[in-house]
């Protein structure tokens, strides 16, 4: 038997118990000059730090010292990849906050679109820093031992 009566209005609440869909972001860092960096202990892809931001303005303002309010922070492993960060679908900006050992910082925020049930990869290629060494040479007179001039 039905408890519904003819002529009455009934409201039915429908709830969705499914968790919200998520996507993920992974950063892949490579060297712009592997002939210099490959096998060279002065360089490492491990330890680069990336912030993921909800707005471009926030990403542009972020630095390693003042990271702002990132939705996620990712750090590269020895192979140059990060573990994926799970995010709600939408537009985000990824910015390198700290370069790994031997590399120069890529200071440009990259826009990404996170899609549900998909891993979005962001590639960053860093230029190896050529660590210049300043040398000061002194020219001495062989007879007197006194300084003749400076050569830089």
């Amino acid at each position: 038997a039905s408890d519904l009566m003819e002529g009455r209005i009934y409201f039915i609440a429908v709830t969705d118990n499914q968790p919200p869909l998520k996507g993920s972001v992974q950063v892949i860092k490579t060297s712009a000059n592997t002939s210099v960096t490959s096998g060279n202990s002065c360089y490492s892809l491990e330890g680069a730090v990336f912030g993921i931001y909800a707005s471009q303005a926030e990403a542009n303002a972020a630095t390693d010292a003042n990271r702002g309010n990132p939705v996620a922070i990712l750090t590269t492993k020895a192979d140059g990849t990060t573990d994926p960060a799970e995010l709600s679908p939408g537009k985000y900006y990824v910015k390198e906050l700290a370069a790994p050992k031997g590399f120069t910082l890529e200071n440009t925020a990259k826009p990404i679109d996170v899609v549900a049930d998909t891993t979005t990869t962001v590639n960053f290629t860093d230029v190896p820093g050529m660590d210049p060494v300043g040398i000061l040479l002194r020219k001495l007179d062989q007879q007197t031992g006194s300084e003749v001039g400076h050569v830089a």
Side-chain angles (χ1 to χ4, degrees):
S2 173
D3 292 334
L4 299 177
M5 299 180 76
E6 189 174 331
R8 297 227 176 181
I9 298 174
Y10 294 92
F11 293 95
I12 300 172
V14 178
T15 58
D16 181 6
N17 291 330
Q18 297 295 321
L21 295 176
K22 298 280 187 172
S24 61
V25 176
Q26 180 182 34
V27 174
I28 300 173
K29 171 168 270 325
T30 57
S31 170
N33 190 346
T34 56
S35 65
V36 170
T37 60
S38 184
N40 186 335
S41 64
C42 293
Y43 301 93
S44 174
L45 295 175
E46 184 174 18
V49 178
F50 296 89
I52 302 175
Y53 296 89
S55 76
Q56 186 170 15
E58 194 173 12
N60 289 342
T63 65
D64 192 33
N66 183 12
R67 293 181 178 180
N69 189 26
V71 295
I73 293 286
L74 300 174
T75 303
T76 55
K77 300 176 279 191
D79 66 356
T81 64
T82 65
D83 290 328
E86 192 174 83
L87 299 172
S88 296
K91 187 170 199 84
Y92 296 92
Y93 298 85
V94 181
K95 183 176 181 184
E96 185 174 24
L97 300 174
K101 177 182 172 186
F103 289 91
T104 58
L105 184 70
E106 184 176 334
N107 203 24
T108 304
K110 295 186 177 188
I112 58 165
D113 290 309
V114 175
V115 178
D117 296 325
T118 302
T119 298
T120 302
T121 57
V122 187
N123 295 301
F124 279 81
T125 303
D126 277 3
V127 175
M130 306 300 179
D131 193 11
V133 177
I135 299 176
L136 176 63
L137 300 175
R138 291 188 308 162
K139 185 176 181 182
L140 301 177
D141 183 286
Q142 186 176 5
Q143 302 289 324
T144 65
S146 61
E147 191 171 318
V148 176
H150 290 285
V151 179

